Amino acid sequence: MAKAQITFKDIDITVTVPIGVRVIEISDKVGSGIVYGCREGDCGTCLMKVEEGWDNLSTPSVIEDKILRDNAAGKHHRLACQAQVLGDVIVSPA
């Protein structure tokens, strides 16, 4: 199984994860400050900043793109419940 590394900048932890795992699943396990409400991409509470590796995340879905716009999210922001890790990435709470 292919693996990638995800670094949570707020707690300075890097973990190796299987490709395709959602950021929120790992964030929850390691105790990062990325919070969440619904895990379905509807509420926007899990907004995170992608510090490095933007291209190493799955493409935002139509629903995620709408929530990002509705929350006036910046250029390098994603929803942790929707973004799947495809390669090495560094993230932090928004």
Side-chain angles (χ1 to χ4, degrees):
M1 177 178 281
K3 304 272 186 185
Q5 289 190 329
I6 181 167
T7 299
F8 295 90
K9 195 172 180 181
D10 63 321
I11 57 173
D12 196 29
I13 289 179
T14 300
V15 293
T16 301
V17 300
I19 296 292
V21 69
R22 295 186 190 278
V23 173
I24 198 67
E25 294 172 35
I26 306 306
S27 173
D28 197 30
K29 289 179 182 178
V30 299
S32 172
I34 299 172
V35 297
Y36 61 91
C38 66
R39 287 185 171 243
E40 301 296 322
D42 289 332
C43 69
T45 58
C46 65
L47 189 65
M48 67 177 181
K49 183 173 183 185
V50 181
E51 304 283 346
E52 290 182 33
W54 178 262
D55 293 334
N56 291 332
L57 293 172
S58 58
T59 304
S61 68
V62 172
I63 292 170
E64 180 182 4
D65 196 42
K66 179 186 180 317
I67 296 299
L68 292 171
R69 281 193 318 265
D70 289 351
N71 286 286
K75 179 179 176 184
H76 294 285
H77 288 82
R78 292 288 307 271
L79 297 180
C81 73
Q82 298 296 300
Q84 293 176 302
V85 178
L86 303 177
D88 296 349
V89 65
I90 299 173
V91 298
S92 62

